Every structure is written in C-alpha cells, then in structure tokens.
Amino acid sequence: MEETQERFTFFHFLEYLFTLVGLLSFLLDIVLDVWTVVSFYQDGAYVYMAVLIFLLLGSSVLLQVFSWLWYFDSLKLIETKVEKFADRHSLIKPFHFLQVGVFL
C-alpha cells in the first residue's frame, strides 16, 4: 500500500517565501502611503494630499465594487469553506463595505 504523504519540496519553500514577501510588500505599501499623506500634510501640499487620498480610496472602492459584483454574479459557484461561511452568514456585502472583501 502506497502512502500519499506529501513531502516538503523546494516548490513549497518558494511558495511560502513568495507569500511572505507579498505580505511584507502589502504592509510596506500601506506604511508608505500613510507616510506620503502625512508628508504632504506637513509640507502644506493639501492639493497633492487630496489627490493622493482620492486615488488611493477611489481605486480601493472600485476594486471592492468589482469583487462584490463578481461574487454576486457567481454565488451559486462558491466552493471554498471561507466563501461558503461568508455567504451563509451574509457577510460578503459587509466584507466588501469594510474594504476586505477582495481577500475572500
């Protein structure tokens, strides 16, 4: 009888490494965005600060709208446990409203 135990390979290491790099890049992006807004505020460049905030918030809202529309269009095709839990408890809309729906 053959065991179907999966071995930890170089591919798995790369997968975890890229996940970690992606998470750190995401957090660094948030820190740099906040730092840039604060810098514009301290320099008195309120127009640039407003434009930056508009672009950051606008792109995030647009992304959440498209993500919610994608879920709304394919609710019958949901497969993962997280998506099924969110759908069963009517959490898909609140997640998107709170700007975390794309992480589903």
Side-chain angles (χ1 to χ4, degrees), residues 8 17 23-24 30 32 36 38 40 60 67 82 87 90 97:
F8 187 79
L17 181 67
L23 176 64
L24 292 175
I30 291 173
L32 290 176
T36 305
V38 170
F40 281 147
S60 181
S67 176
V82 173
D87 185 37
S90 301
F97 180 76

Side-chain angles (χ1 to χ4, degrees), residues 14-94:
L14 283 179
E15 187 176 9
Y16 291 121
L17 181 67
F18 286 138
T19 301
L20 180 63
V21 168
L23 176 64
L24 292 175
S25 298
F26 173 71
L27 295 174
L28 179 65
D29 180 54
I30 291 173
V31 169
L32 290 176
D33 288 342
V34 170
W35 178 72
T36 305
V37 168
V38 170
S39 296
F40 281 147
Y41 178 77
Q42 290 174 341
D43 292 342
Y46 301 118
V47 174
Y48 292 123
M49 182 185 72
V51 168
L52 179 63
I53 291 172
F54 172 76
L55 290 174
L56 290 172
L57 292 179
S59 62
S60 181
V61 167
L62 189 62
L63 175 69
Q64 296 300 323
V65 166
F66 279 114
S67 176
W68 181 79
L69 288 173
W70 177 66
Y71 271 111
F72 182 74
D73 190 40
S74 61
L75 280 176
K76 305 274 189 291
L77 304 175
I78 290 177
E79 295 181 4
T80 67
K81 291 179 182 180
V82 173
E83 292 170 330
K84 288 178 184 178
F85 177 84
D87 185 37
R88 193 171 41 246
H89 292 88
S90 301
L91 293 174
I92 291 180
K93 282 185 189 179

Side-chain angles (χ1 to χ4, degrees), residues 3-13 15-16:
E3 285 189 37
T4 59
Q5 188 176 18
E6 191 173 328
R7 290 183 18 220
F8 187 79
T9 62
F10 183 69
F11 174 75
H12 290 100
F13 173 74
E15 187 176 9
Y16 291 121

